[in-house]
Amino acid sequence: MKSVIVIGMNVDAGVGWLNVEHCSMLLKPPLSLNFRFSPQTSIFRARNSRNSRMAPPILSLALPSNTGRVLSIQSHTVQGYVGNKSAVFPLQLLGYDVDPINSVQFSNHTGYPTFKGQVLNGQQLWDLIEGLEGNDLLFYTHLLTGYIGSESFLNTVLQVVSKLRSTNPGLSYVCDPVMGDEGKLYVPQELVSVYREKVVPVASMLTPNQFEAELLTGFRIQSEGHGQEACRLLHAAGPSKVIITSINIDGILLLIGSHQKEKGEPPRQFKIVIPKIPAYFTGTGDLMTALLLGWSNVLPLLKSYDYCLVLLVIS
């Protein structure tokens, strides 16, 4: 018989105590991850709470796993799987608690002849962050960002990084700097300098494609060695983990991964040759970055890509 958690709560002197007991259940943690539950976990009333009574307990904080809590700021479509629809569910299957903020909500992705929907602006994003903060819900272990369409929104994301790290200095920021592909830019030009000068220095993991890595480094990538050098340039600018998700060298697709554990040390680097499938897919980059976040936190970085490549499809 598998086990479940039954939770009882009583309040004493402003402190809520969760008494955790194990009994039979139908579900178990996904992929046999070892979730650790404390027999008695306290939820403290926040010092800056505006409410006169204690807020309800946040079970994902009271019962933390070996994975973490992710704030994912990406696009959303009603039909199709891109952005948060590609990233949230796989991370949940890996045991993460994921809170999505939809930077846009469109009827379908923009590759169709038409689309309709709404775009979140920087102030609206900040309103959501303030709402979370007002209820002491801003503790995250990871921030994940994907496609961002405006400079003001990207600058607000930088404020979000600072705010989250003021709550948890150990926050890992995984950034997919979505700007373009195959020589074509599909975000406003001004976003390139914001990514290069402001975002890269605060990122923990960066997952550009070949074109985006060239934009961020000003370095032309025409060989495997060039890809490795681009990773080293990006390490020097900030992130300890860099994955150039696709490099096209004479029709052969490569992934270049690089991990620099300590500044000044040479990074550990590797390549993976990727079979090219003659078809068109969307959302694969969003899925790739989510899986890199998920598995690199469970396994050592250099072992995580085997799991990611199974689901990586590049047209």
Side-chain angles (χ1 to χ4, degrees):
M1 213 36 133
K2 298 167 185 175
S3 61
V4 74
I5 311 296
V6 174
I7 301 169
M9 179 176 179
N10 53 65
V11 178
D12 179 24
V15 178
W17 294 95
L18 295 181
N19 297 317
V20 180
E21 299 175 358
H22 295 268
C23 64
S24 64
M25 79 166 191
L26 300 176
L27 300 175
K28 71 173 184 177
L31 302 177
S32 299
L33 296 177
N34 293 319
F35 285 68
R36 296 172 184 169
F37 300 107
S38 172
Q40 219 175 28
T41 305
S42 60
I43 303 289
F44 291 93
R45 181 177 180 179
R47 290 189 293 260
N48 63 347
S49 175
R50 299 185 184 91
N51 300 324
S52 58
R53 58 190 179 86
M54 191 176 72
I58 309 305
L59 298 187
S60 58
L61 294 178
L63 305 173
S65 72
N66 284 346
T67 49
R69 301 189 70 240
V70 181
L71 180 64
S72 179
I73 304 176
Q74 301 194 60
S75 60
H76 170 83
T77 58
V78 176
Q79 192 281 329
Y81 292 89
V82 298
N84 273 329
K85 283 186 73 176
S86 285
V88 172
F89 184 55
L91 284 169
Q92 289 172 331
L93 286 177
L94 290 174
Y96 290 84
D97 186 50
V98 188
D99 291 344
I101 292 180
N102 298 325
S103 57
V104 302
Q105 177 171 264
F106 289 157
S107 56
N108 44 268
H109 71 72
T110 57
Y112 283 88
T114 64
F115 64 92
K116 291 189 176 183
Q118 300 80 39
V119 178
L120 204 69
N121 62 38
Q123 183 56 55
Q124 290 168 328
L125 170 60
W126 195 247
D127 288 343
L128 294 173
I129 297 301
E130 288 186 326
L132 293 169
E133 184 180 29
N135 291 292
D136 307 303
L137 301 176
L138 269 189
F139 183 87
Y140 292 97
T141 57
H142 298 78
L143 172 65
L144 172 63
T145 61
Y147 175 79
I148 294 170
S150 73
E151 183 179 7
S152 65
F153 195 93
L154 185 54
N155 279 316
T156 305
V157 167
L158 288 163
Q159 292 178 259
V160 173
V161 175
S162 297
K163 174 66 73 173
L164 296 182
R165 282 183 171 156
S166 70
T167 302
N168 176 20
L171 175 95
S172 177
Y173 174 26
V174 178
C175 173
D176 184 3
V178 181
M179 294 180 286
D181 198 7
E182 296 181 344
K184 180 181 178 181
L185 195 69
Y186 43 69
V187 297
Q189 178 68 44
E190 56 266 24
L191 264 68
V192 176
S193 60
V194 178
Y195 271 113
R196 184 191 302 123
E197 298 167 13
K198 298 180 181 180
V199 177
V200 171
V202 299
S204 308
M205 179 190 292
L206 204 65
T207 62
N209 60 32
Q210 179 178 358
F211 177 60
E212 291 158 350
E214 290 175 341
L215 289 174
L216 293 173
T217 60
F219 184 76
R220 183 75 170 165
I221 300 174
Q222 296 177 306
S223 68
E224 177 187 337
H226 289 164
Q228 294 170 336
E229 178 60 24
C231 288
R232 287 189 285 267
L233 292 172
L234 290 169
H235 284 316
S240 62
K241 301 172 185 176
V242 178
I243 301 91
I244 303 180
T245 55
S246 61
I247 298 176
N248 192 331
I249 307 296
D250 299 325
I252 299 174
L253 290 178
L254 302 177
L255 176 148
I256 301 291
S258 187
H259 185 195
Q260 185 181 51
K261 289 188 176 181
E262 299 291 340
K263 285 292 184 184
E265 292 185 0
R268 297 181 65 189
Q269 298 184 318
F270 63 94
K271 72 171 181 180
I272 298 175
V273 178
I274 305 169
K276 189 172 184 179
I277 298 175
Y280 178 76
F281 300 91
T282 58
T284 52
D286 304 321
L287 173 62
M288 175 71 169
T289 299
L291 290 173
L292 285 167
L293 183 162
W295 281 109
S296 67
N297 194 48
V298 175
L299 299 171
L301 181 67
L302 295 182
K303 294 181 181 179
S304 67
Y305 303 108
D306 293 338
Y307 299 93
C308 301
L309 286 174
V310 173
L311 293 173
L312 175 63
V313 183
I314 298 179
S315 60

